[in-house]
């Protein structure tokens, strides 16, 4: 799988931001965050989860998607409940958490200031997302977390966003892959009631049912 280099400078703003944090927190990951892969390797991947970007004190600190902030608490508890993960999530990369037939990656691999990547940064990083989407022979489902991740995924699949609009709980098909969209599992969305745990769980329950049905 194609992944940006440790010192990727394609996006100058993100590169400079990471340099600042390398000085502030030299023990942190502070680099493009690689995908979190399942125990069975590439050929086991049937589900891909696509987030927005690393959080500054979450994945940017730990080097694993959704590890170190609240979004990971909700995501990984949901995945464990529905058999997409096992072990115990303890918000660190050396915990016992393992993914089952599932991989997690962000649409933007580097942490953006204020958690807001620019349009050009999203477009730049799609060169790494696109090969990920075509690199798994058994991929059958994708969950996009939030509008930006959803739209970047649709574009990476060479389809117009207008034909596959984002909406929580919506589903669409592209090239034999079912795409499930969800609001992002951020603390902001859950604290404001935009997303409840049940709403989030229901999306992944639909994914589980789809995969188990052998569609």
């Amino acid at each position: 799988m194609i992944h940006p280099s440790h010192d990727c400078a394609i996006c100058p703003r993100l590169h400079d931001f990471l340099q600042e944090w390398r000085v502030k927190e030299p023990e942190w990951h502070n680099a493009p965050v690689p995908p979190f892969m399942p125990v069975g390797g590439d050929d086991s991947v049937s589900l891909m989860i696509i987030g927005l970007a690393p959080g500054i004190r979450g994945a940017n600190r730990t080097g694993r998607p959704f590890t170190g902030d609240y979004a990971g608490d909700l995501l990984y508890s949901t995945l464990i409940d529905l058999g997409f993960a096992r072990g115990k999530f303890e918000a660190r990369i050396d915990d016992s958490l393992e993914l089952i037939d599932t991989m997690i990656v962000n649409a933007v691999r580097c942490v953006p200031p204020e958690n807001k990547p620019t349009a050009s940064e999203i477009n730049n990083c799609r060169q790494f997302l696109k090969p990920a989407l075509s690199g798994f022979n058994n991929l059958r489902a994708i969950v996009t977390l939030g509008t930006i991740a959803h739209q970047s995924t649709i574009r990476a699949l060479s389809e117009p966003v207008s034909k596959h609009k984002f909406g929580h709980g919506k589903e669409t098909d592209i090239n034999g892959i079912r795409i499930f969209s969800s609001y992002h599992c951020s603390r902001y969305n859950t604290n404001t009631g935009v997303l409840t745990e049940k709403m989030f769980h229901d999306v992944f329950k639909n994914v589980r049912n789809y995969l188990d049905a052998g569609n």
Side-chain angles (χ1 to χ4, degrees):
M1 181 188 302
I2 299 174
H3 183 67
S5 68
H6 181 82
D7 294 312
C8 180
I10 296 171
C11 303
R13 187 181 75 119
L14 301 189
H15 176 266
D16 292 347
F17 190 57
L18 281 175
Q19 300 310 307
E20 293 174 13
W21 277 95
R22 287 177 183 177
V23 174
K24 293 177 184 177
E25 298 288 351
E27 301 301 315
W28 287 11
H29 178 72
N30 287 325
V33 175
F36 186 12
M37 300 298 297
V39 291
D42 291 7
D43 287 342
S44 72
V45 174
S46 59
L47 169 63
M48 183 183 296
I49 299 167
I50 302 177
L52 171 55
I56 189 66
R57 291 175 174 80
N60 179 65
R61 175 174 61 84
T62 63
R64 191 176 76 180
F66 293 92
T67 300
D69 55 25
Y70 171 78
D73 293 341
L74 179 54
L75 174 62
Y76 289 122
S77 64
T78 300
L79 295 182
I80 290 170
D81 284 347
L82 289 164
F84 293 115
R86 66 189 178 206
K88 187 175 181 181
F89 174 62
E90 296 175 308
R92 61 177 196 270
I93 60 173
D94 61 346
D95 59 21
S96 60
L97 180 72
E98 295 179 330
L99 297 180
I100 302 171
D101 303 337
T102 301
M103 69 161 289
I104 303 173
V105 68
N106 284 313
V108 177
R109 305 287 176 92
C110 295
V111 60
E114 300 180 351
N115 293 322
K116 295 178 180 179
T118 66
S120 64
E121 290 161 355
I122 297 164
N123 291 339
N124 286 343
C125 216
R126 199 172 300 123
Q127 65 185 284
F128 303 108
L129 180 61
K130 191 164 187 173
L133 291 167
S134 61
F136 300 97
N137 295 328
N138 297 306
L139 179 64
R140 294 168 50 216
I142 295 171
V143 174
T144 56
L145 299 177
T147 304
I148 292 175
H150 181 81
Q151 292 180 347
S152 192
T153 299
I154 299 304
R155 292 187 174 110
L157 290 168
S158 302
E159 284 284 311
V161 170
S162 60
K163 288 182 61 177
H164 307 276
K165 294 181 179 179
F166 174 83
H168 181 83
K170 284 190 174 183
E171 301 175 17
T172 190
D173 292 295
I174 298 176
N175 300 329
I177 299 173
R178 176 70 52 88
I179 299 169
F180 301 77
S181 52
S182 170
Y183 291 133
H184 195 282
C185 48
S186 66
R187 184 181 291 278
Y188 177 82
N189 281 345
T190 56
N191 281 351
T192 57
V194 170
L195 179 68
T196 65
E197 288 189 20
K198 183 181 185 302
M199 288 168 62
F200 194 66
H201 191 277
D202 284 349
V203 170
F204 282 90
K205 186 175 181 181
N206 290 340
V207 176
R208 178 85 277 168
N209 291 338
Y210 173 76
L211 293 174
D212 287 351
N215 293 307

